[in-house]
Amino acid sequence: MSALASIDASALLPESLRADFPILNDDVLDGHPLVFLDNAASTQRPRQVIDMIARVYEHDYANVHRGIHTLSERSTEQYEEAREKVARFIGAANSHEVIFTQGTTGSINLVARSWGETNLRPGDEILTTVMEHHSNLVPWQQVAAKTGATLKHVPITEDGRLDMDAFAKLLSDRTKLVAVTSVSNTLGTVNPIAEIIAQAHAVGALVLVDAAQSVPHMVTDVAAWDCDFLAFSGHKMLGPSGVGILYGKEALLDAMPPFLGGGSMINEVRLDGFTPAELPAKFEAGTPPIVPAIAMSAAIDYLQAVGLDAIHRHEQALVDYAYEQLSQIEGLRILGPAPEFRTSLVSFAFEKIHAHEFAQVLNDRFGVAVRAGHHCTQPLHRLLGLSASTRASFYLYNRPEEVDRLLEGIAAVQAMFAPRGRKRRSQQQYPTPKVGSEDHRNRIVR
Amino acid sequence: MPSEEELYQDHILDHYEDPFHRGTLPAATHAHEDKNPLCGDVVRIELQLDEAGKIVDAYFNGEGCVISQASASMLLEKLQGKTVDDIKQFSAADMLELYGPRLTPNRQKCCLLSWKVLQSAVHAPVERSDKT
């Protein structure tokens, strides 16, 4: 297992950037170095983002779009600058096509409720896929139940890629919307989004892309994709939690009714009615996530300084290496396709050992944080015949040595839970090891 | 988070590998099944109670992590031959104590799954037609 030689070292980012992430150097595990491999759930943030959050609260904070006073002007200006930065980052033509929401889930629900409830009729079809996160399934189930539209699901191939033949067959003039993830948070599969959008547009369907797992890791260009709606979150790309983004084409957003009603989203209110504000305010009712949105600027600056392509190459080297090493472990089943079709994460399962055991022992003894469970993809896990899996997901600060630590941990878990003909004994026959004895020390969970 | 105790002590791994009354009970009078939505652990408990409310026999079945399955085995072994009243009096804290090692809140849910299923099972008579 000392195959570090097989990693493409020239693709790696400098290790020095780890110094920018205070938590990676914090004593989280009592002297144990932290190996953080749960980035698909949420990443850590660099000092630059943390400092910006503190700076805004210390010097520039007030509610946005409200006052004439200095602080309100400052926070409004920074909030709108962040919107412009996000727009440029994803290739949007106009910053008013960028709506700040609570997260990817908030963004998808906005489209499902506002666009879906207005435009879907019985007989219409919403096409999604079996590999979606619950946040791109449940809102469509809700809107289908409300409107009488039918929900259909694109299957996956044996190796965990979208079945594009089945997709082509499922598309018809009844298809009104395709809701698809750009990268599966469980399989790691990178979906051919440009191709999906082109095919959907050919039958007159719109496309919503759940880009939560791709925007942090690779270049996004909504204009090149001709994307209709794109949803992603700040906290998976070095930014704060509590802010997400919905990109929508201007004409679509203009034609949609407001989702939430309240302050900010109005032009004029009378006791018997209101007229909505222009974009983007129309979809930002109430006080928005001001500081998280502003801090997206710092996260995007950081990602662009490192470079999305460089980040992608770095992660690909880690995934290639992890995949190669994991595929040599007997009894371990890797979920999803070969490395060339995936990015930034690897999920796996053993027939005999539950994912919880991996997550627990990896944490307690090896300082490795992984995700164990269904990763909010229960239908996909059911399809794979699993109730849970273990997921290691990488980001720009992870190192090949951390993959080795993961592999070391997996070997230890295998040894620990291998069947060895154990027999139950009566309770009294289990001596408690004396505190301080070698036996006791060996049992101590790190 | 790092605890001073080994989570996977010998008696737990022994129960996991060599469980007490894992299987089904054709003569069951009461049964219940539930899952832990967080992780998909499933436990089903089947009980045969006599008219006096005594446990004549009990079996469990399920799928999941070591803690969820070993705790079910330990629970049934502990309550073998006891009464419905004993079960009702056996608290969640008793269950965690029976298990042994201290558990973080999320892993407590794994440990308490079988306890919850058992508490419901005594109130869930098996319908004749639905018996498996």
Side-chain angles (χ1 to χ4, degrees), chain A residues 28-30 352-354 356-358 360-361 363-365 372-374 378 382 385 387-388 416-427 430 440 442-446, chain B residues 1-21 35-41 63-67 73-74 77 98 104 106-107 110:
Chain A
V28 180
L29 296 164
D30 290 339
K352 300 271 186 236
I353 309 172
H354 193 276
H356 271 172
E357 268 66 75
F358 282 96
Q360 188 82 55
V361 175
N363 178 75
D364 294 351
R365 297 213 174 151
H374 52 61
Q378 280 183 355
R382 206 167 289 128
S387 63
M416 199 168 155
F417 296 102
R420 53 181 60 149
R422 290 170 174 276
K423 290 287 166 221
R424 257 181 305 115
R425 290 171 281 165
S426 76
Q427 206 62 34
Y430 292 102
H440 182 257
N442 287 339
R443 287 154 181 269
I444 286 181
V445 172
R446 289 289 328 164
Chain B
M1 177 188 34
S3 104
E4 283 303 304
E5 267 178 310
E6 168 59 70
L7 279 184
Y8 301 104
Q9 291 175 5
D10 276 339
H11 69 279
I12 292 159
L13 292 174
D14 290 352
H15 269 274
Y16 182 68
E17 199 175 333
D18 179 27
F20 176 83
H21 281 201
K35 62 164 67 170
N36 179 349
L38 184 76
C39 53
D41 292 345
E63 201 185 320
C65 66
V66 167
I67 296 179
S73 167
M74 294 165 77
E77 186 186 48
L98 171 69
T104 56
N106 271 334
R107 300 315 298 273
C110 304

Side-chain angles (χ1 to χ4, degrees), chain A residues 79-89 92 95 98 100:
Chain A
Y79 182 74
E80 292 306 323
E81 275 172 13
R83 192 192 307 278
E84 278 163 31
K85 194 161 275 184
V86 170
R88 286 195 297 275
F89 186 64
S95 67
V98 168
F100 285 121

Side-chain angles (χ1 to χ4, degrees), chain A residues 340-353:
Chain A
E340 69 226 70
F341 302 113
R342 69 163 68 222
T343 185
S344 68
L345 66 93
V346 189
S347 302
F348 58 89
F350 278 82
E351 198 171 329
K352 300 271 186 236
I353 309 172

Side-chain angles (χ1 to χ4, degrees), chain A residues 99-117 126 128 132-143 177-182 207-213 229-233 244-247 256 259:
Chain A
I99 313 292
F100 285 121
T101 65
Q102 288 79 20
T104 305
T105 300
S107 300
I108 295 173
N109 275 276
L110 192 163
V111 177
R113 298 299 171 91
S114 172
W115 180 86
E117 290 180 10
I126 308 162
T128 179
E132 299 305 312
H133 189 283
H134 296 165
S135 64
N136 205 22
L137 290 174
V138 177
W140 304 114
Q141 292 171 349
Q142 291 174 307
V143 78
L177 181 93
V178 176
V180 61
T181 189
S182 45
V207 180
L208 176 140
V209 179
D210 170 359
Q213 299 292 349
F229 298 109
L230 184 96
F232 60 102
S233 296
I245 279 96
L246 172 68
Y247 161 82
M256 284 158 55
F259 171 39

Side-chain angles (χ1 to χ4, degrees), chain A residues 159-178:
Chain A
D159 70 342
R161 289 183 287 150
L162 267 193
D163 185 337
M164 292 300 286
D165 292 338
F167 172 64
K169 289 198 187 98
L170 282 163
L171 276 179
S172 74
D173 56 7
R174 291 184 302 278
T175 314
K176 292 293 176 285
L177 181 93
V178 176

Side-chain angles (χ1 to χ4, degrees), chain B residues 104-128:
Chain B
T104 56
N106 271 334
R107 300 315 298 273
Q108 286 185 14
K109 289 181 195 153
C110 304
C111 179
L112 291 174
L113 175 62
S114 56
W115 174 81
K116 272 173 55 189
V117 169
L118 180 65
Q119 296 298 334
S120 298
V122 298
H123 299 293
V126 174
E127 306 260 340
R128 284 291 143 202

Side-chain angles (χ1 to χ4, degrees), chain A residues 18 62 69 111 123 130 134 148 173 188 238 251 304 320 340 351 402 421 435:
Chain A
R18 286 177 66 87
H69 57 79
V111 177
V130 296
H134 296 165
D173 56 7
L238 310 180
Q304 288 186 321
D320 287 353
E340 69 226 70
E351 198 171 329
E402 295 183 304
V435 175

Side-chain angles (χ1 to χ4, degrees), chain A residues 40-104:
Chain A
S42 200
T43 64
Q44 301 299 344
R45 29 222 52 66
R47 168 62 65 202
Q48 290 84 334
V49 170
I50 297 166
D51 284 351
M52 188 177 223
I53 293 168
R55 197 212 68 218
V56 175
Y57 279 126
E58 286 173 13
H59 302 289
D60 302 323
Y61 181 81
N63 211 334
V64 291
H65 304 131
R66 298 288 197 280
I68 301 173
H69 57 79
T70 304
L71 286 180
S72 180
E73 277 174 4
R74 276 192 203 163
S75 63
T76 302
E77 192 180 330
Q78 291 174 30
Y79 182 74
E80 292 306 323
E81 275 172 13
R83 192 192 307 278
E84 278 163 31
K85 194 161 275 184
V86 170
R88 286 195 297 275
F89 186 64
I90 60 172
N94 305 300
S95 67
H96 60 256
E97 294 174 312
V98 168
I99 313 292
F100 285 121
T101 65
Q102 288 79 20
T104 305

